[in-house]
Amino acid sequence: MKRTGLLLLILSFTVLIVQAQPAVIPINRKLSPLLQNNRKLFSDKKEQVFWIVTSNIDSARNYFRTKQLQVRILQEHAGGLLVVSASGPLIDSAVLNQPFVRFVDVPRIPHEELAVGTFDNSLNTINLVHSQYPALNGAGMVASVKENKPDTTDIDFKGRYISTPQTSSLIASHATYMATIIAGGENSFYTGSGVVPAASIVSSNFATLLPDGDNVYRQYGITVQNHSYGTGIENYYGADAAAYDASIINNPGLLHVFSSGNSGNLVSNGPYAGISSMANLTGSFKMAKNILTVGATDSFGNVAFLSSRGPAYDGRIKPELIAFGEDGTSGAAAHTSGTVLLLQQYYKEKHGGPLPPASLIKALLVNSADDRGNKGPDYQSGYGSLNAWKAMQTLANEQYSSGSAAQGGTQTLTINVPANTRQLKVTLCWLDPAAAANAPKALINDLDLELVDNSGQVWLPWVLSPAPIIDSLLKPAVRKKDDLNTVEQVTIDNPIAGTYAIRVRGFAVAGGGSQPYAIAWQTEAPDQFQWQFPTAVDYAKSGEDNLLRWSSTFNTNAGSLEYSLDKGASWQTIGNTPALSQGYAYWHAPDTCSIALLRMTINGQVFTSDTFTISPLLAVHVGFNCADSAMLFWDRIRGIDTYRVFRLGQKYLEPVITTSDTSLIVRQPGNFLWYTVAPLVMPSRPALKAYTINYQTQGVDCYLKNFLVDLDNGNTGLLMAEIGTTLNVKSVTFEKLTSSGYEPLQTFQPITILYYEWADKNLKDGVNTYRVKIELNNGMIIYSSPQSIYYFLTTRYLIFPNPVKTTSYLSVLAREEPENTYLLLYNTLGQQVLQYRLQQTVEMVPLHGLTSGVYFAMIKKNGKKEFTTKVMVQ
């Protein structure tokens, strides 16, 4: 036994010595797995981009210069990372073997991890934060979206997008969705509402997978950067992972939030090669320790099928969180990024300016997450589902602390746990120094968390098995020492009331210094119930199924669910209430526009919701869009007497007028083009706003919405016209162009409908031209643009216009596809002045060079005359 122990000790020291000597790492350890498996990338003599991690940038620069190597340094990053341009053979023969080179990789092409199309900020209780903390809206905060450029003309970003040199030139809808989820201003519709609608937005091109420079984050005040993209499944700690860990260390108030990926059903590689549906995070950068990696759930909190799973390459718990993202992990990351800004803003305002360290925000989010799947953390859902409200409560109640642990030292914090607590949860988090690229294990400084009660009983953190066997990866967490993760969590169910000691020990802290950390804790009381949807800021859709949400700590599963439309004077039961532990129920709201209440009765206790609004979807239309004015109108809603009109101001929608009418005249020209309307269920309470419209782009002209003519049954002209409104319209007339001008065909009066139709059964051979005449009550006349029908009755060809201008074109229409057919023009002297081959049934013949006068037109097919006419050229 002693001999075995001695051998293990010698082996341990050997491993430590090898890890401490990066210069003697074998050549293949200097290559990323991608390059190890694709050595042919070194055979291409064309210049390409490489990432080279050096022990000393100056040594690398001097070497390139002294040897006169064709290596161009494009960028320099913290941790000795160089982005260079060089040929593969040169890197392979002259650079890779140098002692200062620690790691070489190539950048990969990123791709967005799907866009979300479903709006739901209630699953992760973001709406509850909005309701209870209305002043928290992201004002003064800045979020960066690293991918392509969002549509900066989107009205949900008006006045809040900041252009920077880092912005991509490519505009993508995916980037627009992510920016909307994080910081949409709700100008377009309620689904355009972001987590922090007053935050500023910048974007950074993800053409480079490395973080932006520290100066960029500081210059623009960026405190969260969202990364909803991936590459392939990459199970190693890359130069990019080290760069992101260093980025947060260098900017301790900054947090990078990554989507886990949409490869949850794929087979892993690297240390977990061959294992299906596990260890399939999409990108080596997601192996960083200090970031947040977020998986996706459906509307019920279940991990989405395609959401990428952990562990990280070295067995660490990934993702740390899951959040709503029914169509992909992109939206899950964006919801989390927005929540980070909410917490940062609260902390900043409460503490007079400074930002919270990223370790504290991470600890708050992890500790407050709702446990999913196996008890404790797991590789599918991490530490649970994002709960913005609980995180905010932990911050508001100051259930957090920070400290610093030295090598071998222990820091102790005591907390009081009240009686009847259902669960005590404590989470430790620290920002760990960046490891060497391609390190077999990423952890540098190892801290240990313990929870001790009055009797001396010790609880250790939950730890998962990292063994590369599917059965091991699916095992529930056990309590033991954690020597992999920078996040450690202890929970105790039904703890005994009293004082508990939280101990943080510096088990292995490199360099003789100390490691800062953050701790968050919470206690869960029994017999608690809280409505999560709807809150005061939410809308239930009238006449539709709405997903009600709540949280409950009652042991019983029985409850009675009711609603009221008269401020609680009377109540109506909602079907069969599902189990309280389920946390949701569908409710088909009545077809009305009204304020409402919900209540849940449990064991005689009544829990009433906020007053919320049941609202139908109103539509705003344009009646006319004339030079001096435009008219907006909307349908009247039963039971609603007043409406509020909003227009888009400098950044947000602003109220214009409250009216009992259902139309509004907008004077032109004006500076405001975007309008919407909301019914008022109470004098100061608008219901759901309609989609916001730009009244100049709705296809409505000055009263006339559209005018179409068509040939029907080969011999009838079908005329169709639609006006935008009947307001002030006296008559609508279809007119036809004759030799003496336009003549009326049919007049409609009085005007009670918007759509009109007429059939002209007297078509003439050739061109039949029509227009619509609209007469208003004040005598004003409005004409449409002319529309024509071409009718072949006795002829096979039509030539027009006649007369035609010398600078214009002569249109030639053929009844059938022409073959070997030519148009010939002759002047009055009989000289041929133009020959044009007709190849299509519609031809535009240029007349440039012809002088004014009368010409004879002839069409010949296969040398035979088929058609003649006179053409006047002006």
Side-chain angles (χ1 to χ4, degrees), residues 118-124 126 299 324 335 547 549:
T118 307
F119 176 82
D120 188 347
N121 63 9
S122 64
L123 174 68
N124 302 121
I126 294 166
S299 291
F324 177 68
H335 279 110
L547 187 60
R549 297 191 192 276

Side-chain angles (χ1 to χ4, degrees), residues 567-817:
K567 301 181 181 179
S570 62
W571 295 88
Q572 300 182 54
T573 301
I574 300 176
N576 297 320
T577 306
L580 288 175
S581 59
Q582 182 171 298
Y584 64 85
Y586 278 105
W587 171 47
H588 191 83
D591 188 7
T592 184
C593 188
S594 168
I595 58 170
L597 292 168
L598 292 165
R599 74 179 182 185
M600 183 75 78
T601 304
I602 311 169
N603 296 337
Q605 296 187 61
V606 177
F607 300 92
T608 305
S609 73
D610 294 338
T611 300
F612 62 95
T613 304
I614 302 173
S615 181
L617 180 56
L618 191 65
V620 179
H621 308 280
V622 177
F624 57 82
N625 180 23
C626 301
D628 62 339
S629 61
M631 188 193 82
L632 309 176
F633 71 95
W634 53 94
D635 295 331
R636 187 173 296 278
I637 295 178
R638 178 169 48 89
I640 298 299
D641 297 323
T642 52
Y643 303 84
R644 183 163 294 161
V645 181
F646 298 83
R647 69 187 179 194
L648 182 60
Q650 185 176 2
K651 292 183 179 180
Y652 303 104
L653 293 173
E654 303 169 347
V656 177
I657 190 174
T658 299
T659 177
S660 58
D661 204 347
T662 56
S663 64
L664 175 70
I665 302 298
V666 177
R667 299 300 172 188
Q668 297 207 77
N671 296 323
F672 302 96
L673 301 177
W674 295 88
Y675 287 82
T676 186
V677 178
L680 293 183
V681 294
M682 295 172 61
S684 59
R685 192 181 186 103
L688 184 64
K689 297 183 185 73
Y691 284 100
T692 304
I693 64 166
N694 181 334
Y695 67 82
Q696 289 190 344
T697 62
Q698 303 306 303
V700 179
D701 206 338
C702 194
Y703 280 90
L704 184 66
K705 191 170 185 180
N706 57 65
F707 173 44
L708 301 172
V709 297
D710 197 9
L711 184 64
D712 189 34
N713 293 325
N715 59 5
T716 302
L718 184 61
L719 285 63
M720 298 160 286
E722 184 179 4
I723 59 176
T725 179
T726 62
L727 181 69
N728 295 327
V729 180
K730 180 180 179 181
S731 65
V732 173
T733 302
F734 288 121
E735 296 183 338
K736 185 174 184 178
L737 182 61
T738 68
S739 59
S740 58
Y742 279 98
E743 300 290 341
L745 287 177
Q746 176 64 33
T747 298
F748 300 91
Q749 191 177 9
I751 300 302
T752 58
I753 58 176
L754 301 178
Y755 182 80
Y756 298 88
E757 188 174 295
W758 182 254
D760 181 12
K761 297 183 178 180
N762 298 309
L763 297 180
K764 68 176 184 179
D765 197 18
V767 182
N768 295 263
T769 301
Y770 306 89
R771 71 181 182 186
V772 175
K773 172 185 173 183
I774 300 173
E775 184 177 359
L776 305 183
N777 289 330
N778 62 5
M780 179 179 176
I781 303 296
I782 300 166
Y783 291 107
S784 72
S785 298
Q787 301 291 329
S788 298
I789 295 174
Y790 308 107
Y791 180 52
F792 298 90
L793 178 62
T794 62
T795 183
R796 299 175 63 184
Y797 300 95
L798 298 175
I799 296 180
F800 64 93
N802 196 1
V804 61
K805 294 184 178 180
T806 58
T807 56
S808 186
Y809 292 84
L810 191 65
S811 297
V812 181
L813 275 66
R815 188 166 58 185
E816 56 191 36
E817 199 76 29

Side-chain angles (χ1 to χ4, degrees), residues 450-611:
E450 297 177 344
L451 193 57
V452 187
D453 70 4
N454 285 333
S455 68
Q457 183 175 352
V458 178
W459 283 268
L460 296 179
W462 292 110
V463 177
L464 293 170
S465 170
I469 304 168
I470 187 62
D471 291 344
S472 297
L473 297 177
L474 295 177
K475 283 182 178 179
V478 297
R479 297 184 190 273
K480 59 184 290 189
K481 172 180 164 46
D482 189 335
D483 59 1
L484 283 177
N485 295 283
T486 59
V487 174
E488 298 185 6
Q489 187 174 93
V490 178
T491 63
I492 306 175
D493 291 338
N494 304 308
I496 298 173
T499 301
Y500 285 72
I502 301 173
R503 294 178 182 169
V504 179
R505 185 162 65 100
F507 177 77
V509 179
S514 60
Q515 173 62 58
Y517 62 81
I519 296 174
W521 67 88
Q522 67 180 33
T523 55
E524 188 177 87
D527 299 340
Q528 300 294 307
F529 180 93
Q530 184 177 52
W531 287 104
Q532 294 179 350
F533 182 88
T535 69
V537 299
D538 296 315
Y539 304 99
K541 297 177 183 177
S542 67
E544 297 184 24
D545 287 336
N546 293 267
L547 187 60
L548 309 180
R549 297 191 192 276
W550 62 81
S551 62
S552 170
T553 61
F554 279 86
N555 286 326
T556 179
N557 261 336
S560 175
L561 181 58
E562 301 166 289
Y563 75 92
S564 173
L565 302 180
D566 53 12
K567 301 181 181 179
S570 62
W571 295 88
Q572 300 182 54
T573 301
I574 300 176
N576 297 320
T577 306
L580 288 175
S581 59
Q582 182 171 298
Y584 64 85
Y586 278 105
W587 171 47
H588 191 83
D591 188 7
T592 184
C593 188
S594 168
I595 58 170
L597 292 168
L598 292 165
R599 74 179 182 185
M600 183 75 78
T601 304
I602 311 169
N603 296 337
Q605 296 187 61
V606 177
F607 300 92
T608 305
S609 73
D610 294 338
T611 300

Side-chain angles (χ1 to χ4, degrees), residues 380-449:
Q380 291 82 28
S381 60
Y383 291 92
S385 179
L386 171 70
N387 191 316
W389 168 252
K390 283 185 179 179
M392 186 61 69
Q393 287 300 98
T394 303
L395 186 59
N397 295 333
E398 298 188 349
Q399 293 173 305
Y400 60 88
S401 182
S402 60
S404 187
Q407 172 66 43
T410 300
Q411 299 290 314
T412 302
L413 169 71
T414 59
I415 60 173
N416 293 315
V417 176
N420 299 319
T421 296
R422 270 188 73 175
Q423 187 186 68
L424 168 64
K425 186 193 292 187
V426 179
T427 299
L428 166 70
C429 179
W430 67 96
L431 303 180
D432 201 41
N438 220 18
K441 179 179 173 181
L443 188 67
I444 300 295
N445 291 337
D446 187 2
L447 304 186
D448 287 336
L449 173 67

Side-chain angles (χ1 to χ4, degrees), residues 84-137:
V84 306
S85 177
S87 69
L90 179 63
I91 295 294
D92 191 23
S93 63
V95 177
L96 190 59
N97 59 356
Q98 294 304 306
F100 56 78
V101 174
R102 293 184 171 182
F103 181 74
V104 177
D105 201 352
V106 289
R108 282 81 65 209
I109 298 175
H111 55 81
E112 299 107 331
E113 312 221 89
L114 273 139
V116 295
T118 307
F119 176 82
D120 188 347
N121 63 9
S122 64
L123 174 68
N124 302 121
T125 63
I126 294 166
N127 63 325
L128 194 54
V129 176
H130 289 167
S131 176
Q132 299 300 315
Y133 294 89
L136 287 182
N137 55 15

Side-chain angles (χ1 to χ4, degrees), residues 336-365:
T336 305
S337 292
T339 303
V340 169
L341 286 170
L342 285 175
L343 297 172
Q344 289 174 333
Q345 182 186 2
Y346 182 91
Y347 183 97
K348 187 177 179 181
E349 292 178 356
K350 186 172 183 178
H351 292 83
L355 283 167
S359 56
L360 174 58
I361 297 299
K362 193 172 175 180
L364 290 168
L365 291 172

